[in-house]
C-alpha cells in the first residue's frame, strides 16, 4: 500500500482543517487505517483509527470530540476532519495502514504516508 497524505497547513486556534490520505497499490476497503501525529521532540501519538468498513472508530483522548475520521473506499481515501484546533495540535500528521495488532500502536502499522504538517497559531 502506498499512502499520500495532504491537507496540512497553518491555521489559527479554533479553526479547522481536513486532512486526506490517498491509498494506492492495494484495495483500501480491506485494511484498517489510522492517523498519528508527532510534534517536535515527542513520540508519535495515536490520533484515530477506522475499520475497513468504517463501522469501528477509535480516537485518542486528546482529540475526542474535536476530530472525526472517515473513509471513502470507492475513492481510496481516508479523511481526518479537525475542528476546534489548539496550538498543542501542532505536529506532523501521518496516515498509516494495516496494523498487525493493536490499532493504537504505531509499531503495529506496516505502511506509512510521508506526513503533512499542521501548525496551529495562538
Amino acid at each position: 500500500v502506498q499512502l499520500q497524505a495532504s491537507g496540512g497547513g497553518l491555521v489559527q486556534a479554533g479553526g479547522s482543517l481536513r486532512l486526506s490520505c490517498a491509498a494506492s497499490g492495494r484495495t483500501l476497503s480491506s485494511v484498517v487505517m489510522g492517523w498519528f501525529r508527532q510534534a517536535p521532540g515527542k513520540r508519535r501519538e495515536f490520533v484515530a483509527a477506522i475499520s475497513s468498513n468504517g463501522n469501528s472508530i477509535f480516537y485518542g483522548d486528546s482529540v475526542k470530540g474535536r476530530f472525526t475520521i472517515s473513509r471513502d473506499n470507492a475513492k481510496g481515501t481516508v479523511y481526518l476532519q479537525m475542528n476546534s484546533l489548539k496550538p498543542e495540535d501542532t505536529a506532523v500528521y501521518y496516515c498509516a495502514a494495516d496494523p498487525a495488532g493493536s490499532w493504537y500502536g504505531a509499531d503495529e502499522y506496516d505502511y506509512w504516508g510521508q506526513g503533512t504538517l499542521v501548525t496551529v497559531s495562538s
Side-chain angles (χ1 to χ4, degrees):
V1 179
Q2 289 79 47
L3 304 175
Q4 179 73 38
S6 62
L10 174 64
V11 63
Q12 288 188 332
S16 298
L17 280 175
R18 188 177 81 156
L19 306 183
S20 299
C21 176
S24 61
R26 180 176 169 183
T27 303
L28 181 71
S29 60
S30 66
V31 298
V32 170
M33 297 292 297
W35 285 97
F36 288 78
R37 67 186 183 186
Q38 189 165 20
K42 294 188 177 181
R43 296 180 62 182
R44 195 163 292 193
E45 176 189 13
F46 172 78
V47 174
I50 185 168
S51 62
S52 56
N53 61 9
N55 288 343
S56 294
I57 291 175
F58 298 95
Y59 294 100
D61 289 341
S62 60
V63 306
K64 282 180 182 176
R66 300 187 298 121
F67 291 11
T68 302
I69 189 172
S70 62
R71 64 192 298 159
D72 184 336
N73 287 340
K75 294 183 178 180
T77 303
V78 175
Y79 305 97
L80 185 69
Q81 177 67 42
M82 305 186 295
N83 298 329
S84 302
L85 283 161
K86 305 174 181 179
E88 51 263 43
D89 294 318
T90 296
V92 177
Y93 284 72
Y94 298 89
C95 58
D98 202 17
S102 169
W103 295 8
Y104 297 90
D107 292 344
E108 300 288 348
Y109 287 76
D110 289 334
Y111 306 98
W112 290 86
Q114 85 289 0
T116 185
L117 177 62
V118 172
T119 303
V120 184
S121 63
S122 56

